């Protein structure tokens, strides 16, 4: 499921949704803000995350394990401080890693299915079960990670009281709404990014809209726009889309043969 689904172009919109959702966990987002110049390196951070997902999906076992070891090593060295209590904690706390993982894979699955990507309920459960491997690579015990839609729903229900749109979340929200760009690119940001970000934000769960304090279009309108966007992006030939760096899928097909080409119709294979 992962091999087929992660080749879809709507993964980029899903990734932006995941950033908005992840930022609502105060302890998790604090670790990001306190350990990086988020506003200066947000693009780099987004691309590194995409590279990690691409490597763990389409790279060989050695590359995936190496990528996971690198992430675990970085996380072991980093900590954050609660400004209210003075508590110092590691960013590799299992509860924080679990939240980041669930917000990410939950966003991927939500946006793909809502935009018209053909995944049955059983296939969606298989996808989440496969993602326990990705969870292991970042340092989680796979047994502690939701492995089905029911498990994931129960997890989000349980963690919901811990979520809040604190100052760090507001910083992420501000960036995602108006990312800094060169003045010459401001019209492009207004034309392209604003629409993409608006769609990603609209696809968040209602409680996220409430926490951020900004309304979103009605669910039917969001679903319609997700489907239209998905149809348009999927109309671009995959051989062109996959030529964009870092070309994980192209390299995987060269390594394993053209028969490994990701495609939705292969879900039953």
């Amino acid at each position: 499921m992962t091999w087929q689904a992660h080749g879809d172009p709507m993964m980029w919109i899903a990734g932006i949704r995941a950033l908005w959702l992840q930022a609502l966990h105060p302890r998790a987002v604090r670790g990001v803000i306190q350990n990086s110049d988020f506003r200066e390196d947000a693009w780099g951070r987004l691309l590194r995350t995409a590279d990690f997902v691409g490597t763990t999906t389409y790279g060989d076992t050695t590359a995936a394990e190496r990528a996971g070891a690198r992430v675990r090593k970085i996380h072991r060295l980093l900590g954050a401080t609660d400004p209210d209590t003075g508590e110092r904690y590691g960013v590799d706390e299992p509860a924080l890693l679990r939240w980041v993982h669930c917000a990410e894979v939950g966003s991927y699955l939500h946006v793909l299915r809502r935009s018209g990507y053909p995944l049955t309920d059983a296939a969606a459960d298989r996808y989440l079960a496969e993602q326990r491997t990705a969870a292991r690579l970042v340092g989680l015990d796979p047994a502690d990670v939701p492995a089905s839609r029911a498990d994931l729903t129960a997890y989000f229900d349980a963690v919901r009281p811990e979520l809040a749109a604190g100052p760090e979340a507001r910083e992420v929200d501000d960036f995602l709404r108006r990312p800094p760009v060169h003045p010459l690119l401001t019209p492009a940001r207004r034309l392209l990014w604003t629409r993409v970000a608006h769609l990603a934000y609209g696809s968040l769960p209602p409680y996220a809209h409430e926490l951020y304090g900004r309304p979103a279009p009605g669910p039917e309108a969001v679903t319609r726009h997700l489907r239209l966007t998905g149809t348009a992006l999927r109309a671009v030939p995959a051989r062109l889309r996959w030529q964009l760096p870092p070309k994980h899928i192209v390299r995987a097909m060269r390594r394993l043969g053209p028969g490994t080409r990701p495609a939705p119709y292969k879900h039953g294979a």
Side-chain angles (χ1 to χ4, degrees), residues 10-34:
M10 290 297 285
M11 284 283 289
W12 285 100
I13 292 177
I16 297 168
R17 179 192 192 266
L19 293 177
W20 251 306
L21 189 56
Q22 288 167 346
L24 289 175
H25 195 298
R27 289 172 69 86
V29 71
R30 195 176 294 131
V32 174
I33 298 298
Q34 293 185 11

Side-chain angles (χ1 to χ4, degrees), residues 119-142:
L119 275 177
T120 64
D121 289 346
D125 285 344
R126 283 178 57 194
Y127 172 80
L128 291 173
E130 290 175 3
Q131 288 304 303
R132 288 179 295 180
T133 297
R136 176 185 64 78
L137 288 171
V138 299
L140 283 164
D141 181 345

Side-chain angles (χ1 to χ4, degrees), residues 33 38-39 166-176:
I33 298 298
F38 179 81
R39 293 193 66 84
E168 294 90 353
R170 298 291 177 186
E171 189 171 345
V172 173
D173 179 44
D174 183 62
F175 172 84
L176 291 174

Side-chain angles (χ1 to χ4, degrees), residues 162-241:
E162 302 175 32
L163 306 183
E168 294 90 353
R170 298 291 177 186
E171 189 171 345
V172 173
D173 179 44
D174 183 62
F175 172 84
L176 291 174
R177 294 170 67 190
R178 291 176 293 271
V181 296
H182 188 281
L184 293 178
L185 296 177
T186 300
R189 180 184 67 182
R190 186 164 48 247
L191 177 65
L192 299 175
W193 177 262
T194 300
R195 295 182 180 183
V196 170
H198 185 68
L199 187 56
Y201 179 82
S203 69
L204 288 166
Y207 67 77
H209 301 146
E210 294 175 8
L211 290 173
Y212 279 116
R214 290 191 292 111
E220 296 82 5
V222 173
T223 299
R224 183 170 62 254
H225 284 111
L226 282 169
R227 286 184 171 271
L228 289 172
T229 302
T231 299
L233 291 178
R234 291 167 191 139
V236 178
R239 65 179 180 275
L240 296 180
R241 291 190 275 108

Side-chain angles (χ1 to χ4, degrees), residues 224-264:
R224 183 170 62 254
H225 284 111
L226 282 169
R227 286 184 171 271
L228 289 172
T229 302
T231 299
L233 291 178
R234 291 167 191 139
V236 178
R239 65 179 180 275
L240 296 180
R241 291 190 275 108
W242 294 340
Q243 287 298 324
L244 294 174
K247 301 184 179 182
H248 289 294
I249 296 175
V250 172
R251 292 202 302 271
M253 290 170 60
R254 287 173 182 165
R255 186 176 79 249
L256 300 172
T260 60
R261 172 191 176 97

